[in-house]
Every structure is written in structure tokens, then in C-alpha cells.
């Protein structure tokens, strides 16, 4: 026993990880959801989880039958594992009636992309790991891709990719560049629908981003107002947020970004530093000030042991006399 309380452990930094988010507002039709979700999942597996799929293909094939009602162990500890989940309820609320859980096989994956996405599910997930010592998924290195249709804004679809734990800092930096190219590829395809996105090491698998956690607010109010949900090492601005900050030229003049990538369709991706390991307090301050006009107003509340890369000030104060 460590002698540390659950409250103390709540504020520990998460294990080293990379996280990418993208929010889009899609027309309410199955074809658009299938296209957007398919882009995220297929490119995500190809660029972020190829090594996990390779290990699955090299191992004995997993069962192709439905595992929705499976109870107990899934197999021997250490076995490479992939789960394909379809939700008709929110992911936090369970699979839901009509949802499904299947192991990753090539046949199941092809059906997942071609058939399940066309049914306009509430959410889908592709999760890659190893079986833990109890024979359950989630052991070892974990790569998680998720697409979910939210309810707070019509057409709002949130996309997430998460990997933990990660190798040493140098390898993590190189990997982050792959994730950056992954995100820019998707944004270029979905430009007019894009509202917000980010890549960071201080995000977790939870659906919130650090600034929302500090505000104790949920994301819907930002999307309604055309504001950003937060800011990170990499931040994506949709058309409304871009207008609030003064456009591409203003971002370039700010000096806050190593790269400003205008991808057309109204969406822009900005990267603060070449690598996330260089995203220090000075860089965070520059990004905050450059994006302040598009950030939610109010003063975020820090915790006593805070690992989140934020400026603890009201964005409305930027440009005001101190």
C-alpha cells in the first residue's frame, strides 16, 4: 500500500500518452457520417495502430463471432487483442440495445467499416491492446480510436485517438509528427465541417480537454458560440474561430507558432513548436495569447497538483492593461 489517498492519486499526471481530438459538425445523413468516421478509423489504424494490426495478423486469428454477451476471460494473458465496438447508446452508458462487440479480424474490420458505419450508430470504437493477467483486453500498450455522435449540437461528431504508454521522449517526439500528419490529413478532407481539434500530451482518454476540465464546463457551449474548446501543442481552428482571431495572417504574425497550415475549407492547423517536448510554459503563454479571442471567457481554476499545460488567466484579459 502506498499510503496515498484516492484524492491524492486523482491529480497524478496520466501515463505518458499522445491524444488527438477533432470535432466536426456533419449533415444528419448516414453517408456523411460513414465517410467521416471511415476516414478517421481507416487512416488512424494505418498510421497510428499499424504495428498492433501486424501483431494481430501474425498471431492465431481471434474469434469472428459476436462477443457482445461474453463473460469472463477472453484468452491467455499477453495475447494481442483488438476490439471493434458499435454503440447505440453513449460509450459511457454501454453498448446499448442493438450494439455489438467483436474481436478484430480482417473480416470483422471490413464489415465494421462497410456496414456498421452505414447504420448511423451513436458511436464506434476500435481498441488495440494485449490481454492482461486476467485475460481481459487493456493490457500492455493501448491504442484507442473512437467516433461518437454527440447530442448537444445538431450534427456534432467527436473523434478521438489515444495511445499509452509511450516510449522515451525522443521516440515520442518522432511519433507525434506522425500524429500531426494524420490530423492534418483528416482536416483537409473534412475542412468545411471542422470546428475544433488538438494534439497534446496533457489530454486523457476522457472526452473533455484540459481547459474544459479547468472551467468545469462541457464542450457544447463553445461550439454554439464558434469558440475553441481549448488549446494545445497542436490546435485546429474552424472557420468561426479563425475569424475571431483575425485570420491566417494574424496567426502568422503572432510569432506563437512553428507552423500555420491553411488546409482550405475554412480550417487551419497551428503547431506551437516542432516537437511536443519543446512545448514549455513560454510556448503555452504565446499560444494562449494568440488564440485568446477565440477562447471561452472566464478564469480557469487550477488544482494544487496540476499537470495541464494552460495559462491560468481569463482570455478576455489579453490586450488589457495589467
Amino acid at each position: 500500500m502506498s499510503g496515498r489517498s484516492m484524492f491524492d492519486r486523482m491529480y497524478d499526471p496520466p501515463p505518458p500518452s499522445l491524444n488527438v481530438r477533432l470535432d466536426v459538425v456533419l449533415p444528419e445523413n448516414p453517408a456523411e457520417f460513414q465517410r467521416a468516421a471511415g476516414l478517421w478509423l481507416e487512416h488512424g489504424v494505418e498510421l497510428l495502430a499499424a504495428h498492433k494490426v501486424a501483431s494481430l495478423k501474425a498471431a492465431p486469428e481471434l474469434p469472428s463471432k459476436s462477443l457482445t454477451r461474453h463473460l469472463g476471460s477472453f484468452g491467455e494473458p499477453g495475447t494481442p487483442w483488438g476490439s471493434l465496438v458499435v454503440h447505440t447508446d453513449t460509450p459511457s452508458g454501454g453498448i446499448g440495445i442493438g450494439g455489438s462487440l467483436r474481436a478484430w479480424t480482417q473480416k470483422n474490420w471490413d464489415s465494421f467499416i462497410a456496414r456498421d458505419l452505414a447504420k448511423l450508430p451513436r458511436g464506434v470504437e476500435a481498441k488495440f491492446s494485449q490481454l492482461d493477467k486476467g485475460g481481459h483486453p487493456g493490457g500492455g500498450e493501448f491504442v484507442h480510436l473512437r467516433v461518437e455522435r454527440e447530442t448537444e449540437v445538431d450534427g456534432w461528431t467527436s473523434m478521438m485517438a489515444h495511445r499509452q504508454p509511450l516510449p522515451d521522449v525522443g521516440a515520442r517526439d518522432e511519433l507525434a509528427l506522425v500524429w500531426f500528419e494524420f490530423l492534418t490529413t483528416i482536416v483537409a478532407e473534412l475542412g468545411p465541417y471542422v470546428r475544433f481539434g488538438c494534439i497534446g500530451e496533457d489530454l486523457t482518454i476522457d472526452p473533455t480537454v484540459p481547459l474544459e476540465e479547468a472551467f468545469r464546463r462541457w464542450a457544447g457551449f463553445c461550439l454554439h458560440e464558434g469558440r475553441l474548446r481549448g488549446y494545445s501543442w497542436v490546435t485546429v481552428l474552424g472557420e468561426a474561430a479563425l475569424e475571431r482571431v483575425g485570420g491566417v495572417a494574424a496567426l502568422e504574425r503572432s510569432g506563437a507558432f512553428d507552423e500555420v497550415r491553411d488546409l482550405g475549407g475554412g480550417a487551419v492547423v497551428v503547431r506551437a513548436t516542432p516537437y511536443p517536448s519543446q512545448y514549455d510554459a513560454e510556448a503555452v503563454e504565446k499560444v494562449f495569447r494568440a488564440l485568446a479571442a477565440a477562447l471561452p471567457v472566464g478564469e480557469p481554476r487550477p488544482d494544487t497538483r496540476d499537470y495541464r499545460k494552460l495559462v491560468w488567466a481569463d482570455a478576455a484579459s489579453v490586450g488589457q492593461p495589467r
Side-chain angles (χ1 to χ4, degrees), residues 28-39:
E28 284 284 346
N29 74 69
E32 285 298 327
F33 176 82
Q34 184 178 23
R35 183 175 83 90
L39 281 168

Side-chain angles (χ1 to χ4, degrees), residues 215 227 288 292-293 295-299 313-321:
F215 275 132
R227 295 184 181 273
F288 167 72
L295 294 174
V297 173
E299 191 161 328
D314 188 342
S317 68
V318 172
Q320 302 293 325

Side-chain angles (χ1 to χ4, degrees), residues 81-265:
W81 192 267
S83 298
L84 303 175
V85 188
V86 178
H87 296 273
T88 56
D89 196 354
T90 60
S92 60
I95 291 175
I97 297 172
S100 65
L101 166 64
R102 287 183 168 83
W104 192 97
T105 66
Q106 189 63 57
K107 178 181 177 181
N108 284 348
W109 173 251
D110 292 343
S111 176
F112 184 67
I113 296 297
R115 298 179 185 177
D116 291 329
L117 297 185
K119 297 175 183 177
L120 202 61
R122 180 63 185 276
V124 290
E125 299 178 271
K127 300 187 281 189
F128 302 91
S129 61
Q130 296 176 357
L131 298 183
D132 63 18
K133 61 183 180 181
H136 296 99
E141 181 197 68
F142 183 63
V143 180
H144 185 185
L145 296 154
R146 181 177 68 211
V147 180
E148 182 179 358
R149 294 191 303 120
E150 306 286 357
T151 58
E152 294 183 50
V153 176
D154 288 344
W156 175 21
T157 299
S158 64
M159 306 180 183
M160 182 275 293
H162 172 90
R163 176 175 169 179
Q164 75 175 52
L166 288 174
D168 62 72
V169 172
R172 197 152 70 235
D173 276 347
E174 292 300 323
L175 185 63
L177 297 184
V178 176
W179 288 56
F180 175 67
E181 294 303 329
F182 162 68
L183 180 59
T184 56
T185 296
I186 305 301
V187 171
E189 289 284 344
L190 300 179
Y193 301 142
V194 169
R195 297 296 182 269
F196 168 75
C198 61
I199 303 175
E201 295 182 298
D202 58 341
L203 290 83
T204 69
I205 202 167
D206 294 329
T208 54
V209 298
L211 188 60
E212 290 166 348
E213 295 169 0
F215 275 132
R216 278 66 162 180
R217 296 177 187 167
W218 185 235
F221 83 100
C222 285
L223 297 185
H224 273 301
E225 296 180 359
R227 295 184 181 273
L228 299 173
R229 293 175 59 189
Y231 53 98
S232 293
W233 170 61
V234 170
T235 307
V236 181
L237 294 82
E239 187 173 12
L242 183 62
E243 184 176 347
R244 284 183 178 274
V245 301
V248 173
L251 294 172
E252 292 173 336
R253 287 195 306 268
S254 72
F257 305 107
D258 166 69
E259 183 168 352
V260 177
R261 194 176 291 191
D262 184 354
L263 297 170

